[in-house]
């Protein structure tokens, strides 16, 4: 469904990280709702390059874009020559910046800052030059282990990823003070799940990972006391809604995007078992991350509602139910 009455036909939209989870869903939203929109996807498609933790540097995958009819560019946002070409050869109306080193366990602080912070400044300069409204991905990781509900202004990042996103927010604020002919909105995503996340591999949500464990007949393994480990899980469709509403906001700023309701990992498995028709026993294992693990996240979304007009549409039960057919397809065709 459409989340805005704005006429976007004949507009040009840049989506960085457009072959990734959220970026590809955005690309299809615009293609399906605005047949005359020009969508340019930029992504550093996956290769065999890994980080020191063994995870892939880039999760962009061509299968996330099967059926996409817009323009696709393979490139690195750290490439100044590429960014100069984008600035010179295009005229963007909106920029959705989803590209990032998003692995929270990455140890390469230099690469994280270069990619997430320095390249963002270059993209902001393109937005200023083109008069393009900027919508970018911030993160709930900026809050670290801050008590719930997490609220803008109470940040305490515990890893370099959360720190890099907070630095992006500070940079965006400086630009909004300096330039008033564009809007700049940061969206702090909480725990997102849904179609087109599968190729994030081990960093995909536990919804799809537990779903595939259950379909394989394996007992789901949960940390001990998982009924007391809660997260604000948000279905991808509500993330898309927030991004679209942020295209023409009442005010610039940083806004939480969650449901405002924390749910447990135990409830996740229980809902999946109900939807998949399984009744496998859970296995409980010690949590090795105690002391550096978030036990409760819940987004304060009051300003998101008031300024962006956002209202989450999917409960945890509804989101998982909508996701299950894709979880089954992936299990049959990709695993």
């Amino acid at each position: 469904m459409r989340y805005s009455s704005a006429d976007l036909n004949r507009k040009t939209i840049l989506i960085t990280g457009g072959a990734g989870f959220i970026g590809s869903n955005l690309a299809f939203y615009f293609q399906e709702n605005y047949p005359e929109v020009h969508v340019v996807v930029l992504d550093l498609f996956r290769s065999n390059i890994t980080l020191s933790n063994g995870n892939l540097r880039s999760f962009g995958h061509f299968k996330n874009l099967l059926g996409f009819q817009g323009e696709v560019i393979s490139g690195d946002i750290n490439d100044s020559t590429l960014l100069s070409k984008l600035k010179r050869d295009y005229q963007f109306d909106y920029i959705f910046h989803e590209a990032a080193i998003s692995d929270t366990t990455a140890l390469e602080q230099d690469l994280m800052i270069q990619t997430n912070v320095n390249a963002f400044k270059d993209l902001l300069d393109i937005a200023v030059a083109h008069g393009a409204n900027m919508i970018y991905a911030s993160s709930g990781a900026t809050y670290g282990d801050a008590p719930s509900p997490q609220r803008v202004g109470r940040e305490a990042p515990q890893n370099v990823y959360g720190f890099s996103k907070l630095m992006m927010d500070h940079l965006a604020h400086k630009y909004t003070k300096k330039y008033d002919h564009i809007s700049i909105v940061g969206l702090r995503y909480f725990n997102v799940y849904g179609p087109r996340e599968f190729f994030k591999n081990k960093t995909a949500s536990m919804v799809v990972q537990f779903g595939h464990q259950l379909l394989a007949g394996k007992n789901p393994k949960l940390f001990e006391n998982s009924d007391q480990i809660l997260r604000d899980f948000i279905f991808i469709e509500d993330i898309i809604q927030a991004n679209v509403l942020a295209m023409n906001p009442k005010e610039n700023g940083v806004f939480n995007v969650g449901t405002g309701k924390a749910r447990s990992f135990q409830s996740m498995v229980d809902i999946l078992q109900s939807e998949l028709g399984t009744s496998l026993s859970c296995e409980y294992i010690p949590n090795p991350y105690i002391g550096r693990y978030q036990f409760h996240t819940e987004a304060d979304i009051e300003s998101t509602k008031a300024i962006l007009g956002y209202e989450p549409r999917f409960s945890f039960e509804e989101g998982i139910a909508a996701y299950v057919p894709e979880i089954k397809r992936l299990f049959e065709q990709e695993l």
Side-chain angles (χ1 to χ4, degrees), residues 172-313:
H173 180 69
K174 291 178 181 177
Y175 268 71
T176 61
K177 294 294 185 182
K178 189 173 182 180
Y179 304 102
D180 61 5
H181 67 294
I182 63 171
S183 62
I184 304 174
V185 171
L187 299 175
R188 286 184 177 167
Y189 305 146
F190 276 62
N191 287 73
V192 190
Y193 65 97
R196 299 191 177 96
E197 68 166 319
F198 174 75
F199 295 105
K200 292 176 66 179
N201 300 353
K202 291 186 294 183
T203 64
S205 78
M206 291 308 301
V207 176
V208 68
Q209 294 191 55
F210 278 133
H212 288 161
Q213 287 179 32
L214 294 167
L215 288 170
K218 298 178 181 178
N219 292 356
K221 292 185 177 181
L222 289 157
F223 289 144
E224 293 171 343
N225 301 313
S226 279
D227 59 334
Q228 300 171 40
I229 303 175
L230 291 85
R231 295 282 188 277
D232 194 330
F233 297 104
I234 177 168
F235 190 49
I236 184 62
E237 282 296 320
D238 281 330
I239 293 289
I240 301 307
Q241 177 203 165
N243 272 271
V244 174
L245 292 172
M247 295 173 73
N248 295 287
K250 293 179 182 177
E251 298 177 17
N252 295 317
V254 180
F255 304 94
N256 288 334
V257 186
T259 64
K261 297 179 180 178
R263 301 294 298 272
S264 71
F265 282 92
Q266 183 67 60
S267 69
M268 176 193 297
V269 171
D270 293 344
I271 296 166
L272 280 165
Q273 297 239 54
S274 175
E275 290 292 332
L276 295 171
T278 60
S279 55
L280 295 162
S281 298
C282 295
E283 295 181 9
Y284 297 99
I285 60 177
N287 186 342
Y289 303 110
I290 289 176
R292 50 192 178 98
Y293 190 75
Q294 290 176 307
F295 279 84
H296 194 291
T297 67
E298 185 175 282
D300 182 331
I301 57 173
E302 292 309 307
S303 64
T304 321
K305 291 179 177 181
I307 295 174
L308 299 185
Y310 165 80
E311 190 67 48
R313 298 174 55 242

Side-chain angles (χ1 to χ4, degrees), residues 50-283:
T50 59
L51 300 170
S52 60
N53 60 10
N55 292 340
L56 289 172
R57 176 181 172 183
S58 174
F59 296 115
H61 202 293
F62 79 92
K63 287 189 176 181
N64 284 335
L65 292 174
L66 288 175
F68 177 63
Q69 298 169 11
E71 184 175 354
V72 177
I73 300 172
S74 177
D76 189 338
I77 57 172
N78 293 314
D79 183 346
S80 58
T81 301
L82 171 62
L83 295 186
S84 295
K85 180 177 174 61
L86 292 175
K87 188 174 183 179
R88 181 186 68 242
D89 294 350
Y90 294 83
Q91 185 62 45
F92 298 116
D93 297 289
Y94 298 93
I95 297 176
F96 289 86
H97 179 40
E98 305 297 327
I101 301 293
S102 58
D103 188 337
T104 60
T105 65
L107 300 177
E108 288 83 349
Q109 297 188 23
D110 53 348
L111 181 62
M112 186 79 74
I113 299 302
Q114 179 185 1
T115 305
N116 293 4
V117 184
N118 303 152
F120 178 49
K121 184 178 188 302
D122 294 333
L123 287 162
L124 282 170
D125 288 336
I126 294 176
V128 169
H130 289 194
N133 287 358
M134 168 69 79
I135 305 93
Y136 70 94
S138 182
S139 174
T142 56
Y143 297 111
D145 200 27
S148 296
Q150 285 74 33
R151 187 170 294 130
V152 176
R154 298 180 179 178
E155 298 82 10
Q158 291 188 313
N159 54 46
V160 68
Y161 172 70
F163 171 79
S164 72
K165 289 295 180 177
L166 184 57
M167 292 303 100
M168 289 175 68
D169 295 337
H170 292 333
L171 185 60
H173 180 69
K174 291 178 181 177
Y175 268 71
T176 61
K177 294 294 185 182
K178 189 173 182 180
Y179 304 102
D180 61 5
H181 67 294
I182 63 171
S183 62
I184 304 174
V185 171
L187 299 175
R188 286 184 177 167
Y189 305 146
F190 276 62
N191 287 73
V192 190
Y193 65 97
R196 299 191 177 96
E197 68 166 319
F198 174 75
F199 295 105
K200 292 176 66 179
N201 300 353
K202 291 186 294 183
T203 64
S205 78
M206 291 308 301
V207 176
V208 68
Q209 294 191 55
F210 278 133
H212 288 161
Q213 287 179 32
L214 294 167
L215 288 170
K218 298 178 181 178
N219 292 356
K221 292 185 177 181
L222 289 157
F223 289 144
E224 293 171 343
N225 301 313
S226 279
D227 59 334
Q228 300 171 40
I229 303 175
L230 291 85
R231 295 282 188 277
D232 194 330
F233 297 104
I234 177 168
F235 190 49
I236 184 62
E237 282 296 320
D238 281 330
I239 293 289
I240 301 307
Q241 177 203 165
N243 272 271
V244 174
L245 292 172
M247 295 173 73
N248 295 287
K250 293 179 182 177
E251 298 177 17
N252 295 317
V254 180
F255 304 94
N256 288 334
V257 186
T259 64
K261 297 179 180 178
R263 301 294 298 272
S264 71
F265 282 92
Q266 183 67 60
S267 69
M268 176 193 297
V269 171
D270 293 344
I271 296 166
L272 280 165
Q273 297 239 54
S274 175
E275 290 292 332
L276 295 171
T278 60
S279 55
L280 295 162
S281 298
C282 295
E283 295 181 9

